[in-house]
Amino acid sequence: MDDTAQGFRIGDAFHPWGTLFDVVAPGVVDAGYASSELACDSAYGFATVHAEITAPRPDRPVMGLAYELAASGAMPKEIFAQLVIRLGAPTEVDREEGNAGNPDSVVLHAQWSRGGIAIALSLYGAPRPSDFGDGLGKLYLSWADIDAASA
């Protein structure tokens, strides 16, 4: 995850922060808030089922990504452990162990900060179905350079 300060990945493709939504997902959204789920089978060494990108408008830079972590990949505790090894201790961790077994609940949420990039992990209480496949949770990247995004 060493390149998250410079940009984000969708599969093998690397996009620097500041890349317009329309460049990453051309023609998907015409106007207004831009969001799209894109096929993505891996991100930062984790198996994923898709990536959702978001931007204020299609002609503005991508500001956030949410990678749906594949239920067929690593176990949730392994994912969290790998992120701690790569990023260090999270700045915030919330656990809700009582929600285990419930796919509509989050049992762990952790946050890290790397420069101007916020990184977060949410793990579900059980695998959650999606159109792309079952997910264990989401890995989030958020670019906080509002001035660059609004230029």
Side-chain angles (χ1 to χ4, degrees), residues 17-44:
W17 291 115
T19 301
L20 301 182
F21 181 93
D22 269 344
V23 171
V24 181
V28 173
V29 177
D30 293 329
Y33 180 75
S35 174
S36 181
E37 292 180 349
L38 305 173
C40 179
D41 62 0
S42 68
Y44 304 101

Side-chain angles (χ1 to χ4, degrees), residues 16 24 32 37-38 46 53 60 64 74 87 94 101 112 120 129 131 139:
V24 181
E37 292 180 349
L38 305 173
F46 300 109
I53 60 170
R60 294 288 185 235
L87 302 171
D94 295 314
W112 294 263
D131 291 341
L139 176 65

Side-chain angles (χ1 to χ4, degrees), residues 14-92:
F14 179 80
H15 302 279
W17 291 115
T19 301
L20 301 182
F21 181 93
D22 269 344
V23 171
V24 181
V28 173
V29 177
D30 293 329
Y33 180 75
S35 174
S36 181
E37 292 180 349
L38 305 173
C40 179
D41 62 0
S42 68
Y44 304 101
F46 300 109
T48 60
V49 293
H50 72 270
E52 180 182 5
I53 60 170
T54 58
R57 294 191 331 232
D59 63 345
R60 294 288 185 235
V62 171
M63 299 297 291
L65 292 96
Y67 300 97
E68 184 77 33
L69 299 165
S72 61
M75 297 302 295
K77 289 182 180 182
E78 294 170 9
I79 294 169
F80 180 61
Q82 282 298 315
L83 287 172
V84 170
I85 290 167
R86 295 178 194 180
L87 302 171
T91 55
E92 184 178 323

Side-chain angles (χ1 to χ4, degrees), residues 76 94-109 122-128 136:
D94 295 314
R95 295 178 192 268
E96 295 291 336
E97 299 292 333
N99 291 328
N102 183 350
D104 295 325
S105 296
V106 171
V107 294
L108 181 135
H109 179 79
S122 291
L123 296 173
Y124 309 140
R128 183 180 290 178
L136 292 177

Side-chain angles (χ1 to χ4, degrees), residues 106-145:
V106 171
V107 294
L108 181 135
H109 179 79
Q111 296 181 28
W112 294 263
S113 182
R114 272 253 159 100
I117 308 304
I119 302 170
L121 173 69
S122 291
L123 296 173
Y124 309 140
R128 183 180 290 178
S130 79
D131 291 341
F132 293 91
D134 290 351
L136 292 177
K138 287 193 177 177
L139 176 65
Y140 300 92
L141 299 180
S142 298
W143 186 46
D145 192 341

